[in-house]
Amino acid sequence: MLRLMIVDDEQIIREALSQMIDYESLGYKLIATAKNGMEAYDIICDEYPDVVITDIRMPILNGLDLIDRSIKADSKITFILLSGYNDFEYAKQAMKYGVRYYLLKPTDKNELIDSLVSVRKERLIEEENRKLQQDHFLKSLHFPLEQSFIMEALEHQDNFSPVFRKYQGLLSVPKDCQYACICSFVEESYLKNFACDVKRMLEVAKIPLLFSILYVKNAAVLIFPASTLVIQEEMERQITELKYPGQSVTFETEFLHKESAEHLFHEILLKISRFERILLIKEDGCSHEIKNHIASPWMISRLEDSITSAENILQKTALLDSAFMDSMPLITARSLALGLFLQSGVEQEKLPTDAACDFFRRIYSCNSVQEIRDLLSVVMVQKTKDPGSQKISSNISILKTYIREHLDSENLSLKWLAENYLFVSVGYLSKQFIKEEGMRFSDYLNKERMEEAIRLMTFYHSDNVKHIARQVGFGSNPQYFSQVFKRYTGLPPTEYIETLKNK
């Protein structure tokens, strides 16, 4: 459901709008109402509604200012503006912000319903396109993700379930993936040809290969839907008929069946984990070698543990520098970075796909090992351990540090920080912030901004309210700064400055 908020300074109109329509039947959930722009903006910064129905004329931050600030915090919010006949100039300005839904008061129920239906259709199309783009992007990363999955699964064989669940969505492994074909007596000398031939015969039969071919010591593991005996017999016939120069033994096949995809992959893992050398075969027949050895330098979890348990940031940075040498091939650095990110798990067993994709895009847009190292230093270096050696998140401390260093930015928002800086879901970060700080993010941000404003007034004897507003993130709206300051201190900025002068 889309999340909806209603904003109007008249209580009777807020109540009428709240009860006028059965919003749930249209695919909306009414999450909040607000009586003025300031209250609405605070709710937006913490709740991130999808759609806001708002009067264009409001006290304490009018509709246009609310739209301006809200779009900077989250460009995906759709606004439906309500106004009187005399607000045409407002309407023209609203169009500059991309607002397309503009209704005259008194609000016509059917017009509002039509607007909401139209918004929902647009959002569904956008979400479908976004999902297609995301699936396409994840498909392009399928092979490195498979590598990371196998490496992490080998390290955590006794705790396989959370590893599998973390990767299942990223790899698009269907829940009904229950069959694998184990081909024996496949020698490595003709492995590439064998892999290409098998994939070709599966394509002809319109049977998808659900995972790259795994190969250990003359045995290839193929994972594809083989739910009927007819499919199994036909694939067995075609595979055993394959012949290559130098082949000494006819291929043999054995079908493995488990009750779920998780149990199937766990069984395969147990079979391949006995071998030190594991090959993962790409679609073009090329292979990547995974070293299954306790002394392997690519045991990612050990590196991640070392980083998170290091005593200070200098040690953590040194570990990253030692792992990501400038001489390392860029493709290797990307794969290692991807594995480290997934290994850290951002405190969640099942990663938010959007947050993961954002991080993957950032990694694969890096053009040097140094850039990758710098990105990881944000994501990993500031993680820590508690005295009981259990990993805890320092997301909030990282977030607070970022706020202190960028307090003059108008665009600070929990949503941006979650998705572009910490790579976690905004809902998760919001709950975590409230739990650790005992207040909402918007309240904390306003507190920090007002304390900085007071510091500027007190220690620098600054009485330029516009300048102070810019310094603490209210650059385009000193009037809104004055309103927030008065709510925080009980006095407007000018009067507060006068009290300082009289001390």
Side-chain angles (χ1 to χ4, degrees):
M1 283 196 172
L2 294 179
R3 295 156 58 80
L4 175 72
M5 183 170 78
I6 293 172
V7 188
D8 199 289
D9 60 327
E10 295 185 45
Q11 182 177 350
I12 189 169
I13 293 179
R14 290 198 304 275
E15 291 176 353
L17 288 171
S18 299
Q19 299 168 15
M20 178 187 293
I21 296 170
D22 178 6
Y23 291 105
E24 290 196 6
S25 67
L26 299 177
Y28 289 85
K29 179 182 179 182
L30 181 61
I31 61 168
T33 62
K35 61 180 180 291
N36 59 54
M38 181 183 289
E39 182 180 317
Y41 183 67
D42 286 346
I43 294 172
I44 285 171
C45 286
D46 287 304
E47 299 292 338
Y48 294 96
D50 299 291
V51 181
V52 176
I53 301 173
T54 180
D55 188 357
I56 203 164
R57 291 181 178 270
M58 282 187 302
I60 321 179
L61 202 67
N62 67 41
L64 290 177
D65 289 335
L66 173 63
I67 292 169
D68 181 33
R69 294 192 69 84
S70 300
I71 284 176
K72 289 175 180 175
D74 180 8
S75 60
K76 296 178 182 176
I77 296 175
T78 299
F79 284 88
I80 298 176
L81 287 180
L82 309 178
S83 73
Y85 284 99
N86 297 324
D87 292 331
F88 182 68
E89 287 302 317
Y90 278 105
K92 286 199 299 184
Q93 292 181 55
M95 290 176 189
K96 294 180 181 178
Y97 291 107
V99 176
R100 296 189 294 108
Y101 298 94
Y102 194 89
L103 306 179
L104 292 174
K105 284 186 172 183
T107 307
D108 181 270
K109 176 180 177 180
N110 291 328
E111 285 186 356
L112 181 55
I113 289 175
D114 288 344
S115 296
L116 290 169
V117 169
S118 180
V119 170
R120 179 160 176 77
K121 285 181 179 177
E122 289 175 1
R123 287 300 182 94
L124 287 173
I125 292 171
E126 288 174 4
E127 178 61 21
E128 187 176 325
N129 290 335
R130 188 194 65 80
K131 187 68 168 61
L132 286 172
Q133 291 174 358
Q134 183 171 280
D135 289 346
H136 179 73
F137 177 67
L138 282 176
K139 187 175 180 181
S140 71
L141 293 182
H142 212 264
F143 194 69
L145 282 170
E146 287 177 337
Q147 295 173 41
S148 293
F149 168 56
I150 295 298
M151 292 175 72
E152 189 170 344
L154 288 168
E155 181 70 13
H156 299 283
Q157 294 179 52
D158 296 333
N159 194 25
F160 177 75
S161 290
V163 175
F164 178 79
R165 287 194 289 270
K166 177 164 55 172
Y167 283 89
Q168 185 174 15
L170 297 174
L171 291 171
S172 302
V173 176
K175 292 180 180 179
D176 58 354
C177 172
Q178 301 170 340
Y179 292 87
C181 177
I182 301 174
C183 304
S184 302
F185 308 115
V186 181
E187 297 176 28
E188 194 170 339
S189 59
Y190 45 76
L191 177 59
K192 182 174 182 177
N193 291 334
F194 171 83
C196 291
D197 287 341
V198 166
K199 287 177 181 178
R200 187 161 48 249
M201 66 176 64
L202 286 171
E203 287 172 1
V204 170
K206 297 182 178 179
I207 299 173
L209 191 62
L210 301 175
F211 200 88
S212 294
I213 297 174
L214 287 159
Y215 180 82
V216 289
K217 194 128 183 181
N218 292 353
V221 182
L222 316 172
I223 302 170
F224 60 87
S227 54
T228 67
L229 190 58
V230 172
I231 292 175
Q232 293 179 25
E233 289 177 344
E234 178 59 22
M235 292 310 301
E236 180 180 15
R237 183 189 66 77
Q238 292 192 48
I239 289 173
T240 54
E241 287 180 355
L242 291 172
K243 300 292 181 184
Y244 301 100
Q247 179 179 343
S248 56
V249 183
T250 302
F251 301 138
E252 291 185 4
T253 61
E254 171 194 354
F255 278 89
L256 184 64
H257 172 237
K258 291 293 175 181
E259 61 270 26
S260 68
E262 180 181 331
H263 286 91
L264 177 70
F265 275 89
H266 191 220
E267 182 67 20
I268 292 169
L269 180 74
L270 293 176
K271 289 181 179 294
I272 67 174
S273 64
R274 297 180 289 109
F275 300 91
E276 181 176 330
R277 183 170 176 268
I278 301 167
L279 295 182
L280 197 62
I281 317 299
K282 296 174 69 173
E283 294 212 359
D284 58 4
C286 295
S287 62
H288 173 82
E289 183 176 321
I290 297 172
K291 287 286 189 181
N292 179 31
H293 191 271
I294 195 68
S296 170
W298 308 117
M299 277 299 181
I300 290 176
S301 67
R302 294 185 178 276
L303 175 58
E304 194 268 341
D305 282 342
S306 298
I307 292 171
T308 54
S309 61
E311 294 180 0
N312 53 54
I313 289 179
L314 287 176
Q315 288 185 11
K316 296 171 190 284
T317 303
L319 282 165
L320 265 185
D321 289 344
S322 66
F324 288 85
M325 304 287 288
D326 289 332
S327 58
M328 173 186 287
L330 187 58
I331 189 170
T332 303
R334 285 171 175 165
S335 296
L336 180 56
L338 185 148
L340 278 169
F341 174 75
L342 292 166
Q343 186 73 210
S344 65
V346 273
E347 299 83 51
Q348 299 167 92
E349 183 180 281
K350 188 177 186 301
L351 284 170
T353 303
D354 290 347
C357 281
D358 287 340
F359 178 82
F360 298 159
R361 287 191 183 94
R362 292 279 292 277
I363 281 292
Y364 278 80
S365 67
C366 290
N367 295 314
S368 69
V369 176
Q370 175 67 49
E371 289 181 27
I372 292 173
R373 197 162 58 227
D374 292 343
L375 178 57
L376 280 174
S377 69
V378 173
V379 178
M380 293 196 63
V381 161
Q382 298 183 67
K383 292 191 178 295
T384 186
K385 279 193 173 184
D386 65 12
S389 294
Q390 292 181 339
K391 290 180 192 176
I392 62 171
S393 164
S394 64
N395 281 337
I396 303 307
S397 63
I398 297 173
L399 182 150
K400 289 164 69 175
T401 299
Y402 188 92
I403 288 173
R404 285 195 297 272
E405 294 174 351
H406 299 82
L407 205 56
D408 60 339
S409 172
E410 290 186 70
N411 302 329
L412 278 180
S413 77
L414 192 67
K415 193 171 194 298
W416 187 91
L417 289 165
E419 295 178 353
N420 298 280
Y421 192 64
L422 294 171
F423 304 102
V424 296
S425 71
V426 66
Y428 170 79
L429 190 60
S430 177
K431 291 176 183 176
Q432 188 183 21
F433 192 92
I434 292 171
K435 180 180 178 181
E436 294 189 20
E437 296 298 316
M439 66 174 72
R440 298 184 309 176
F441 172 79
S442 61
D443 294 333
Y444 176 83
L445 180 59
N446 280 336
K447 177 177 77 70
E448 289 296 301
R449 283 176 162 161
M450 295 307 101
E451 289 297 327
E452 176 63 11
I454 292 170
R455 188 182 72 84
L456 292 171
M457 294 173 185
T458 305
F459 295 101
Y460 294 94
H461 306 291
S462 177
D463 58 0
N464 188 325
V465 174
K466 287 186 177 180
H467 176 71
I468 293 171
R470 282 196 299 272
Q471 291 287 92
V472 296
F474 292 83
S476 62
N477 201 326
Q479 182 184 1
Y480 180 49
F481 163 72
S482 298
Q483 293 162 349
V484 175
F485 189 90
K486 183 178 180 181
R487 185 172 65 176
Y488 186 76
T489 64
L491 294 172
T494 51
E495 291 185 24
Y496 190 89
I497 290 169
E498 285 301 314
T499 64
L500 292 175
K501 290 179 180 178
N502 295 329
K503 285 184 179 180

